[in-house]
Amino acid sequence: MTVTKYSASGNDFVMFVAQKKADRSELAKKLCHRQNGVGADGLVVVLPHPEYDFEWEFYNADGSVADMCGNASRAVAHFALEKGIAKDNKAEFLTGAGVIRATINGLYVVSDMVPPDIISQEIEEYGENWWLINSGVPHLVAVRDNIDKFNIEEARVLRHKYNANIDICTVKDDALYVRTYERGVEDETLACGTGMVACFIRCHKEGKVSDKMKVYPTSGEELYVSYEEGVYRFGGKVTKTFVAETLI
Ligand SMILES: N[C@@H](CCC[C@H](N)C(=O)O)C(=O)O
């Protein structure tokens, strides 16, 4: 099987085109395995759709299905354009969280995110206030003075208690800095798109950021999140790493 590997702000994905929906959970685990497979945070399968350019199946590295992935939404838009599945530098596709519209400009891809749901602003854990926000998938978000220290054991406890990804963020020098413990990878990843958007949403609602902010995840890559005409928008570069024939 031929697969394409992408990195989007440090989140990495294996992707391929298929014709029919299937349970590809075991395949996702094998392909995403860092030693015995291709190695990735997630698998994206692009499938035909009668109304949109395509629809996707998204799997985390542990084989679990997730409704949305902000970084993969940008990478798959680039992939679909190259394959001729999307046209005119635009991709419109169906995810478990709803329809994503992406604009592709070379390697720079911007996704219009699905409308978020702020589930709770009143969660108190480990001496701080967390907001539970669904920005496509659920994120528990705390804002701190600095994010140098991220207690992964505590994040793991919260991840299971709330069945959410866990994010800490800080605003510094007109930019937002974000670290995310990801569900389904079960560790901190180099970046998480829906996590960056969820952090922006909380900071924006609290008046800590302007309508458009540079955002830096753990990888150090520069992205932006904005709130324009009622839409949260997430943009940055994607990297097509390689195309390979797998024997898995
Ligand atoms: N890395 C993604 C989010 C992928 C899904 C997440 N791990 C979950 O299971 O909720 C992103 O860039 O948004």
Coordinates of all heavy atoms in Angstrom, one line a residue, residues 131-219:
W131 N -10.9 25.2 31.8 CA -12.1 25.3 30.9 C -12.2 24.0 30.1 O -11.1 23.6 29.5 CB -12.1 26.5 30.0 CG -12.3 27.8 30.6 CD1 -12.2 28.1 32.0 CD2 -12.8 29.0 30.0 NE1 -12.5 29.5 32.1 CE2 -12.9 30.0 30.9 CE3 -13.2 29.3 28.7 CZ2 -13.3 31.3 30.6 CZ3 -13.6 30.6 28.4 CH2 -13.7 31.6 29.3
L132 N -13.3 23.4 30.0 CA -13.5 22.3 29.1 C -14.2 22.8 27.8 O -15.3 23.3 27.8 CB -14.4 21.2 29.7 CG -14.5 19.9 29.0 CD1 -13.2 19.2 28.6 CD2 -15.4 18.9 29.7
I133 N -13.4 22.7 26.7 CA -13.9 23.3 25.4 C -13.8 22.2 24.3 O -12.7 21.5 24.2 CB -13.0 24.5 25.0 CG1 -13.0 25.6 26.1 CG2 -13.4 25.0 23.6 CD1 -11.9 26.6 25.8
N134 N -14.9 22.0 23.6 CA -14.8 21.1 22.5 C -14.6 22.0 21.2 O -15.4 22.7 20.8 CB -16.1 20.3 22.3 CG -15.9 19.2 21.3 OD1 -15.3 19.4 20.3 ND2 -16.5 18.0 21.6
S135 N -13.4 21.9 20.7 CA -13.0 22.6 19.5 C -13.0 21.7 18.3 O -12.2 21.9 17.3 CB -11.7 23.4 19.7 OG -10.7 22.4 20.1
G136 N -13.7 20.6 18.4 CA -13.7 19.5 17.4 C -13.5 18.2 18.1 O -14.1 17.2 17.8
V137 N -12.6 18.3 19.1 CA -12.5 17.3 20.1 C -12.3 18.0 21.5 O -12.0 19.2 21.5 CB -11.2 16.3 19.8 CG1 -11.5 15.4 18.7 CG2 -10.0 17.2 19.6
P138 N -12.6 17.3 22.6 CA -12.5 18.0 23.9 C -11.1 18.3 24.4 O -10.2 17.5 24.3 CB -13.2 17.0 24.8 CG -13.1 15.6 24.1 CD -13.0 15.9 22.7
H139 N -11.0 19.5 24.9 CA -9.7 20.0 25.5 C -10.0 20.6 26.9 O -10.9 21.4 27.0 CB -9.1 21.0 24.6 CG -8.5 20.4 23.4 ND1 -7.1 20.0 23.3 CD2 -9.0 20.1 22.2 CE1 -6.9 19.5 22.1 NE2 -8.0 19.6 21.4
L140 N -9.2 20.3 27.8 CA -9.2 20.9 29.1 C -8.0 21.9 29.2 O -6.9 21.5 29.0 CB -9.0 19.8 30.2 CG -9.5 20.1 31.6 CD1 -11.0 20.4 31.7 CD2 -9.2 18.8 32.5
V141 N -8.4 23.2 29.4 CA -7.4 24.3 29.1 C -7.2 25.1 30.4 O -8.1 25.6 31.0 CB -8.0 25.2 28.0 CG1 -7.0 26.4 27.9 CG2 -8.1 24.5 26.7
A142 N -5.9 25.2 30.8 CA -5.5 26.1 31.8 C -4.6 27.2 31.3 O -3.7 27.0 30.4 CB -4.8 25.4 33.0
V143 N -4.7 28.4 31.8 CA -3.8 29.6 31.4 C -2.9 29.8 32.6 O -3.3 29.9 33.7 CB -4.6 30.8 31.1 CG1 -3.7 31.9 30.6 CG2 -5.7 30.5 30.1
R144 N -1.6 29.9 32.3 CA -0.6 30.1 33.4 C 0.3 31.2 33.1 O 0.4 31.7 32.0 CB 0.3 28.8 33.5 CG -0.5 27.6 33.9 CD 0.4 26.4 34.1 NE -0.4 25.2 34.6 CZ 0.1 24.0 34.6 NH1 1.3 23.8 34.3 NH2 -0.7 23.0 35.1
D145 N 1.1 31.6 34.1 CA 2.1 32.7 33.9 C 3.3 32.2 33.0 O 3.8 32.9 32.2 CB 2.7 33.2 35.2 CG 1.6 33.9 36.0 OD1 0.7 34.4 35.3 OD2 1.7 34.0 37.2
N146 N 3.6 30.9 33.2 CA 4.6 30.3 32.2 C 4.3 28.8 32.1 O 3.7 28.2 33.0 CB 6.0 30.6 32.6 CG 6.6 29.7 33.6 OD1 6.8 28.6 33.4 ND2 6.9 30.3 34.8
I147 N 4.7 28.2 31.0 CA 4.4 26.8 30.8 C 5.7 26.0 30.7 O 5.7 24.9 30.0 CB 3.5 26.6 29.5 CG1 4.2 27.3 28.3 CG2 2.1 27.2 29.8 CD1 3.5 26.9 27.0
D148 N 6.7 26.4 31.4 CA 8.0 25.7 31.3 C 7.8 24.3 31.9 O 8.4 23.3 31.5 CB 9.1 26.4 32.1 CG 9.5 27.7 31.4 OD1 9.0 27.9 30.3 OD2 10.1 28.6 32.1
K149 N 7.0 24.2 33.0 CA 6.8 22.9 33.6 C 5.4 22.4 33.3 O 4.4 23.1 33.4 CB 6.9 23.0 35.1 CG 8.3 23.4 35.6 CD 8.4 23.1 37.1 CE 9.8 23.5 37.5 NZ 10.0 24.9 37.7
F150 N 5.3 21.1 32.8 CA 4.1 20.5 32.4 C 4.1 19.1 33.1 O 4.9 18.2 32.7 CB 4.0 20.4 30.9 CG 2.6 19.9 30.4 CD1 1.5 20.0 31.2 CD2 2.5 19.5 29.1 CE1 0.2 19.6 30.7 CE2 1.3 19.1 28.5 CZ 0.1 19.2 29.3
N151 N 3.3 18.9 34.2 CA 3.3 17.7 34.9 C 2.5 16.6 34.1 O 1.3 16.6 34.1 CB 2.8 17.9 36.3 CG 3.0 16.7 37.2 OD1 2.8 15.5 36.7 ND2 3.2 16.9 38.4
I152 N 3.2 15.7 33.5 CA 2.6 14.8 32.6 C 1.7 13.7 33.4 O 0.7 13.3 32.9 CB 3.6 14.1 31.7 CG1 4.3 15.1 30.7 CG2 3.0 12.9 30.9 CD1 3.4 15.8 29.8
E153 N 2.2 13.4 34.6 CA 1.4 12.5 35.4 C 0.0 13.1 35.8 O -1.0 12.4 35.7 CB 2.2 12.1 36.7 CG 3.3 11.1 36.4 CD 3.0 10.0 35.4 OE1 2.0 9.4 35.5 OE2 3.8 9.9 34.4
E154 N 0.0 14.4 36.1 CA -1.2 15.1 36.5 C -2.1 15.2 35.2 O -3.3 15.0 35.2 CB -0.9 16.4 37.0 CG -0.4 16.4 38.4 CD -0.1 17.8 39.0 OE1 -0.4 18.8 38.4 OE2 0.4 17.8 40.2
A155 N -1.4 15.5 34.1 CA -2.2 15.6 32.8 C -2.9 14.3 32.5 O -4.0 14.2 32.0 CB -1.3 16.0 31.7
R156 N -2.1 13.2 32.8 CA -2.7 11.8 32.5 C -3.9 11.5 33.3 O -4.9 11.0 32.8 CB -1.6 10.8 32.8 CG -1.6 9.7 31.8 CD -0.2 8.9 31.8 NE 0.6 9.2 30.7 CZ 1.9 9.3 30.6 NH1 2.6 9.1 31.7 NH2 2.5 9.5 29.5
V157 N -3.9 12.0 34.6 CA -5.0 11.8 35.5 C -6.2 12.6 34.9 O -7.4 12.0 34.8 CB -4.7 12.2 36.9 CG1 -5.9 12.2 37.8 CG2 -3.6 11.3 37.5
L158 N -6.0 13.8 34.6 CA -7.1 14.7 34.1 C -7.6 14.1 32.7 O -8.8 14.2 32.5 CB -6.6 16.1 33.9 CG -6.2 16.8 35.2 CD1 -5.7 18.2 34.8 CD2 -7.4 16.9 36.1
R159 N -6.7 13.7 31.9 CA -7.1 13.1 30.6 C -8.2 12.0 30.7 O -9.2 11.9 30.0 CB -5.9 12.6 29.8 CG -6.2 11.9 28.5 CD -6.2 10.4 28.7 NE -6.4 9.7 27.5 CZ -7.7 9.2 27.1 NH1 -8.7 9.5 27.8 NH2 -7.8 8.5 26.0
H160 N -7.9 11.1 31.7 CA -8.9 10.0 31.9 C -10.1 10.5 32.7 O -11.2 10.1 32.3 CB -8.2 8.9 32.7 CG -7.2 8.2 31.8 ND1 -7.5 7.4 30.7 CD2 -5.8 8.2 31.8 CE1 -6.5 6.9 30.1 NE2 -5.4 7.4 30.7
K161 N -10.0 11.4 33.6 CA -11.1 11.9 34.4 C -12.1 12.6 33.5 O -13.3 12.4 33.6 CB -10.6 12.8 35.5 CG -11.7 13.3 36.4 CD -11.2 13.9 37.7 CE -12.4 14.5 38.5 NZ -11.8 15.2 39.7
Y162 N -11.6 13.4 32.5 CA -12.5 14.2 31.7 C -12.6 13.7 30.2 O -13.3 14.3 29.4 CB -12.0 15.7 31.7 CG -12.2 16.3 33.1 CD1 -11.1 16.3 34.0 CD2 -13.4 16.8 33.5 CE1 -11.3 16.8 35.2 CE2 -13.6 17.3 34.7 CZ -12.5 17.3 35.6 OH -12.7 17.8 36.9
N163 N -11.9 12.6 29.9 CA -11.8 12.0 28.6 C -11.5 13.2 27.6 O -12.2 13.3 26.6 CB -13.1 11.3 28.2 CG -12.9 10.6 26.9 OD1 -11.8 10.3 26.4 ND2 -14.0 10.3 26.2
A164 N -10.5 13.9 27.9 CA -10.1 15.1 27.1 C -8.6 15.2 26.9 O -7.8 14.6 27.6 CB -10.6 16.4 27.8
N165 N -8.2 16.0 25.9 CA -6.8 16.4 25.7 C -6.6 17.5 26.8 O -7.5 18.2 27.1 CB -6.6 16.9 24.3 CG -7.0 15.9 23.2 OD1 -6.2 15.0 22.9 ND2 -8.2 16.0 22.7
I166 N -5.3 17.6 27.2 CA -5.0 18.5 28.3 C -4.0 19.6 27.8 O -3.0 19.2 27.2 CB -4.4 17.8 29.5 CG1 -5.2 16.6 29.9 CG2 -4.2 18.8 30.7 CD1 -6.7 16.8 30.3
D167 N -4.4 20.9 27.9 CA -3.6 21.9 27.4 C -3.2 23.0 28.5 O -4.1 23.3 29.3 CB -4.3 22.7 26.3 CG -4.8 21.8 25.2 OD1 -6.0 21.3 25.4 OD2 -4.1 21.6 24.2
I168 N -2.0 23.4 28.5 CA -1.6 24.6 29.3 C -1.1 25.6 28.3 O -0.5 25.3 27.3 CB -0.5 24.2 30.3 CG1 0.7 23.6 29.7 CG2 -1.1 23.3 31.4 CD1 1.9 23.5 30.7
C169 N -1.4 26.9 28.6 CA -1.0 27.9 27.7 C -0.6 29.2 28.4 O -1.0 29.4 29.6 CB -2.0 28.2 26.6 SG -3.6 28.9 27.3
T170 N 0.2 30.0 27.8 CA 0.5 31.3 28.3 C 0.6 32.4 27.2 O 0.9 32.0 26.1 CB 1.9 31.2 29.1 OG1 2.0 32.4 29.9 CG2 3.1 31.1 28.2
V171 N 0.3 33.6 27.6 CA 0.4 34.7 26.6 C 1.7 35.5 26.9 O 1.9 35.9 28.1 CB -0.8 35.6 26.7 CG1 -0.7 36.7 25.6 CG2 -2.1 34.8 26.5
K172 N 2.5 35.7 25.9 CA 3.8 36.4 26.1 C 4.2 37.1 24.8 O 4.1 36.5 23.8 CB 4.9 35.3 26.5 CG 6.1 35.9 27.2 CD 7.0 34.8 27.7 CE 7.7 34.0 26.6 NZ 8.5 32.9 27.0
D173 N 4.6 38.4 25.0 CA 5.1 39.2 23.8 C 4.1 39.1 22.6 O 4.5 38.7 21.5 CB 6.5 38.7 23.4 CG 7.5 38.8 24.5 OD1 7.3 39.7 25.4 OD2 8.4 38.0 24.5
D174 N 2.8 39.2 22.8 CA 1.8 39.2 21.8 C 1.7 37.9 21.0 O 1.4 37.8 19.8 CB 2.1 40.3 20.7 CG 1.5 41.6 21.2 OD1 0.6 41.6 21.9 OD2 2.1 42.7 20.8
A175 N 2.1 36.8 21.7 CA 1.9 35.5 21.1 C 1.4 34.5 22.2 O 1.5 34.8 23.4 CB 3.2 35.0 20.5
L176 N 0.7 33.5 21.7 CA 0.2 32.4 22.6 C 1.1 31.2 22.5 O 1.4 30.8 21.4 CB -1.2 32.1 22.1 CG -2.1 31.1 22.9 CD1 -2.3 31.5 24.3 CD2 -3.4 30.9 22.2
Y177 N 1.5 30.7 23.6 CA 2.4 29.5 23.7 C 1.5 28.4 24.3 O 0.9 28.5 25.3 CB 3.6 29.8 24.5 CG 4.5 30.8 23.8 CD1 4.3 32.1 23.9 CD2 5.6 30.3 23.1 CE1 5.1 33.1 23.3 CE2 6.4 31.3 22.4 CZ 6.1 32.6 22.5 OH 6.9 33.5 21.9
V178 N 1.6 27.2 23.7 CA 0.7 26.1 24.0 C 1.5 24.8 24.2 O 2.3 24.5 23.3 CB -0.4 25.9 23.0 CG1 -1.3 24.7 23.3 CG2 -1.3 27.2 22.9
R179 N 1.1 24.0 25.2 CA 1.6 22.6 25.3 C 0.4 21.7 25.5 O -0.5 22.0 26.2 CB 2.6 22.5 26.5 CG 3.8 23.3 26.3 CD 4.8 23.1 27.5 NE 5.4 21.8 27.6 CZ 6.3 21.5 28.5 NH1 6.8 22.4 29.3 NH2 6.9 20.2 28.5
T180 N 0.4 20.6 24.8 CA -0.8 19.7 24.8 C -0.4 18.2 25.1 O 0.5 17.7 24.5 CB -1.5 19.7 23.5 OG1 -1.9 21.1 23.2 CG2 -2.8 18.9 23.5
Y181 N -1.1 17.7 26.1 CA -1.0 16.2 26.3 C -2.2 15.6 25.4 O -3.3 16.0 25.6 CB -1.2 15.8 27.7 CG -1.3 14.4 28.0 CD1 -0.2 13.6 28.4 CD2 -2.5 13.7 27.8 CE1 -0.3 12.3 28.7 CE2 -2.6 12.3 28.0 CZ -1.5 11.6 28.4 OH -1.6 10.3 28.7
E182 N -1.8 14.8 24.5 CA -2.9 14.3 23.6 C -3.4 12.9 23.9 O -2.7 12.0 24.0 CB -2.3 14.3 22.1 CG -2.7 15.5 21.4 CD -2.5 15.4 19.9 OE1 -3.3 14.6 19.2 OE2 -1.6 16.0 19.4
R183 N -4.7 12.9 24.0 CA -5.5 11.7 24.0 C -5.2 10.8 22.8 O -5.0 11.3 21.7 CB -7.0 12.1 24.0 CG -8.0 11.2 24.5 CD -9.3 12.0 24.5 NE -9.9 12.2 23.2 CZ -11.2 12.4 22.9 NH1 -12.1 12.3 23.9 NH2 -11.6 12.6 21.7
G184 N -5.0 9.5 23.0 CA -4.8 8.6 21.8 C -3.3 8.5 21.4 O -3.0 7.6 20.7
V185 N -2.5 9.5 21.9 CA -1.1 9.4 21.7 C -0.5 9.1 23.1 O 0.5 8.4 23.3 CB -0.4 10.6 21.1 CG1 1.1 10.5 21.0 CG2 -1.0 11.0 19.8
E186 N -1.3 9.6 24.1 CA -1.0 9.4 25.5 C 0.3 9.9 26.0 O 1.0 9.3 26.8 CB -1.2 7.9 25.9 CG -2.6 7.3 25.6 CD -3.8 8.2 26.1 OE1 -3.6 9.0 27.0 OE2 -4.9 8.1 25.5
D187 N 0.6 11.1 25.5 CA 1.8 11.8 25.9 C 1.7 13.3 25.3 O 0.8 13.5 24.5 CB 3.0 11.2 25.3 CG 4.3 11.3 26.2 OD1 4.3 12.3 27.0 OD2 5.2 10.5 26.1
E188 N 2.6 14.1 25.7 CA 2.7 15.4 25.1 C 3.1 15.2 23.6 O 4.1 14.4 23.4 CB 3.7 16.3 25.8 CG 3.8 17.7 25.2 CD 4.7 18.7 25.9 OE1 5.5 18.2 26.8 OE2 4.7 19.9 25.5
T189 N 2.5 15.9 22.7 CA 2.9 15.9 21.3 C 3.6 17.2 21.0 O 3.5 18.2 21.8 CB 1.7 15.6 20.3 OG1 0.7 16.6 20.6 CG2 1.2 14.2 20.5
L190 N 4.2 17.3 19.8 CA 4.9 18.5 19.4 C 4.0 19.6 19.1 O 4.3 20.8 19.1 CB 5.9 18.2 18.3 CG 7.1 17.4 18.6 CD1 7.9 17.2 17.3 CD2 7.9 18.0 19.7
A191 N 2.7 19.3 18.8 CA 1.7 20.3 18.5 C 0.3 19.6 18.4 O 0.2 18.5 18.1 CB 2.0 20.9 17.2
C192 N -0.7 20.4 18.7 CA -2.1 19.9 18.5 C -2.9 21.1 18.1 O -3.1 22.1 18.8 CB -2.6 19.4 19.9 SG -4.3 18.8 19.7
G193 N -3.5 21.0 16.9 CA -4.2 22.1 16.3 C -5.5 22.5 17.1 O -5.7 23.7 17.4
T194 N -6.3 21.5 17.4 CA -7.6 21.8 18.1 C -7.2 22.3 19.5 O -7.9 23.1 20.1 CB -8.5 20.6 18.2 OG1 -7.7 19.4 18.7 CG2 -9.1 20.3 16.9
G195 N -6.0 21.9 20.0 CA -5.5 22.4 21.3 C -5.2 23.9 21.3 O -5.5 24.7 22.1
M196 N -4.5 24.2 20.2 CA -4.1 25.7 20.0 C -5.4 26.5 19.9 O -5.4 27.6 20.5 CB -3.2 25.8 18.8 CG -1.8 25.3 19.0 SD -0.7 25.6 17.6 CE -0.6 24.0 16.9
V197 N -6.3 26.0 19.1 CA -7.6 26.7 19.0 C -8.3 26.8 20.3 O -8.8 27.9 20.6 CB -8.4 26.1 17.9 CG1 -9.8 26.7 17.8 CG2 -7.7 26.2 16.5
A198 N -8.4 25.7 21.1 CA -9.1 25.8 22.3 C -8.5 26.8 23.3 O -9.1 27.5 24.0 CB -9.1 24.4 23.0
C199 N -7.1 26.8 23.3 CA -6.4 27.8 24.2 C -6.7 29.2 23.7 O -6.9 30.1 24.6 CB -4.9 27.5 24.1 SG -4.5 26.0 25.0
F200 N -6.7 29.4 22.4 CA -7.0 30.8 21.9 C -8.5 31.1 22.3 O -8.7 32.3 22.7 CB -6.9 30.8 20.3 CG -7.4 32.1 19.7 CD1 -6.5 33.1 19.6 CD2 -8.7 32.2 19.3 CE1 -6.9 34.3 19.0 CE2 -9.1 33.4 18.7 CZ -8.2 34.5 18.6
I201 N -9.4 30.2 22.2 CA -10.8 30.5 22.5 C -10.9 31.0 24.0 O -11.5 32.0 24.3 CB -11.7 29.3 22.3 CG1 -11.8 29.0 20.8 CG2 -13.1 29.5 22.9 CD1 -12.4 27.7 20.4
R202 N -10.3 30.2 24.9 CA -10.4 30.7 26.3 C -9.7 32.0 26.5 O -10.3 32.9 27.1 CB -9.7 29.6 27.2 CG -9.6 30.2 28.6 CD -9.2 29.2 29.7 NE -9.2 30.0 31.0 CZ -9.1 29.4 32.2 NH1 -8.8 28.1 32.3 NH2 -9.1 30.2 33.3
C203 N -8.5 32.2 25.9 CA -7.8 33.5 26.1 C -8.5 34.6 25.5 O -8.6 35.8 26.0 CB -6.4 33.4 25.6 SG -5.3 32.3 26.5
H204 N -9.2 34.4 24.3 CA -9.9 35.4 23.6 C -11.2 35.8 24.5 O -11.5 37.0 24.6 CB -10.3 34.9 22.3 CG -10.9 35.9 21.3 ND1 -12.2 35.9 21.0 CD2 -10.3 36.9 20.7 CE1 -12.4 36.9 20.1 NE2 -11.3 37.6 19.9
K205 N -11.9 34.8 25.0 CA -13.1 35.1 25.8 C -12.7 35.8 27.1 O -13.5 36.6 27.6 CB -13.8 33.8 26.2 CG -14.3 33.0 25.0 CD -15.8 33.4 24.7 CE -16.3 32.6 23.6 NZ -17.3 33.3 22.8
E206 N -11.5 35.6 27.6 CA -11.0 36.3 28.8 C -10.4 37.6 28.5 O -9.9 38.3 29.4 CB -10.1 35.4 29.6 CG -10.8 34.2 30.2 CD -9.8 33.4 31.1 OE1 -8.7 33.2 30.7 OE2 -10.3 32.9 32.2
G207 N -10.3 38.0 27.2 CA -9.8 39.3 26.8 C -8.2 39.3 26.9 O -7.7 40.4 27.0
K208 N -7.6 38.2 26.9 CA -6.1 38.2 27.0 C -5.4 38.3 25.7 O -4.2 38.5 25.7 CB -5.7 36.9 27.7 CG -6.1 36.7 29.2 CD -5.6 35.4 29.8 CE -5.7 35.4 31.3 NZ -7.0 35.3 31.9
V209 N -6.2 38.0 24.6 CA -5.5 38.1 23.3 C -6.4 38.9 22.3 O -7.6 39.0 22.5 CB -5.3 36.6 22.7 CG1 -4.3 35.8 23.5 CG2 -6.6 35.9 22.5
S210 N -5.8 39.3 21.2 CA -6.6 40.0 20.2 C -7.2 39.0 19.2 O -7.1 37.8 19.4 CB -5.6 41.0 19.4 OG -4.6 40.2 18.8
D211 N -7.9 39.5 18.2 CA -8.7 38.6 17.3 C -7.8 37.7 16.4 O -8.3 36.8 15.8 CB -9.5 39.5 16.4 CG -10.7 40.1 17.1 OD1 -11.0 39.7 18.2 OD2 -11.4 41.0 16.5
K212 N -6.5 38.1 16.3 CA -5.6 37.2 15.5 C -4.2 37.2 16.3 O -3.6 38.2 16.6 CB -5.4 37.8 14.2 CG -4.6 37.0 13.2 CD -4.6 37.4 11.8 CE -3.9 36.5 10.9 NZ -4.0 36.9 9.5
M213 N -3.8 36.0 16.6 CA -2.6 35.8 17.4 C -1.6 34.8 16.7 O -2.1 33.8 16.2 CB -3.0 35.2 18.7 CG -3.7 36.2 19.7 SD -2.7 37.6 20.2 CE -1.6 36.8 21.4
K214 N -0.3 35.1 16.9 CA 0.7 34.0 16.5 C 0.6 33.0 17.6 O 0.4 33.4 18.8 CB 2.1 34.6 16.6 CG 2.4 35.5 15.4 CD 3.8 36.0 15.5 CE 4.1 37.0 14.4 NZ 5.3 37.7 14.6
V215 N 0.7 31.7 17.3 CA 0.7 30.7 18.3 C 1.9 29.8 18.1 O 2.2 29.4 16.9 CB -0.6 29.8 18.2 CG1 -0.7 28.8 19.3 CG2 -1.9 30.7 18.2
Y216 N 2.5 29.4 19.2 CA 3.7 28.5 19.1 C 3.4 27.3 20.0 O 3.2 27.4 21.2 CB 4.9 29.2 19.6 CG 5.4 30.4 18.8 CD1 4.9 31.7 19.1 CD2 6.2 30.3 17.7 CE1 5.3 32.8 18.4 CE2 6.5 31.3 16.9 CZ 6.1 32.6 17.3 OH 6.5 33.7 16.5
P217 N 3.4 26.1 19.3 CA 3.3 24.9 20.1 C 4.7 24.4 20.6 O 5.7 25.2 20.3 CB 2.7 23.9 19.1 CG 3.2 24.4 17.8 CD 3.4 25.9 17.9
T218 N 4.8 23.3 21.1 CA 6.1 22.8 21.7 C 7.1 22.7 20.6 O 8.3 22.9 20.8 CB 5.8 21.4 22.3 OG1 4.8 21.5 23.3 CG2 7.1 20.8 22.9
S219 N 6.7 22.4 19.3 CA 7.7 22.3 18.2 C 8.4 23.6 18.0 O 9.5 23.6 17.4 CB 7.0 21.8 17.0 OG 6.1 22.8 16.5

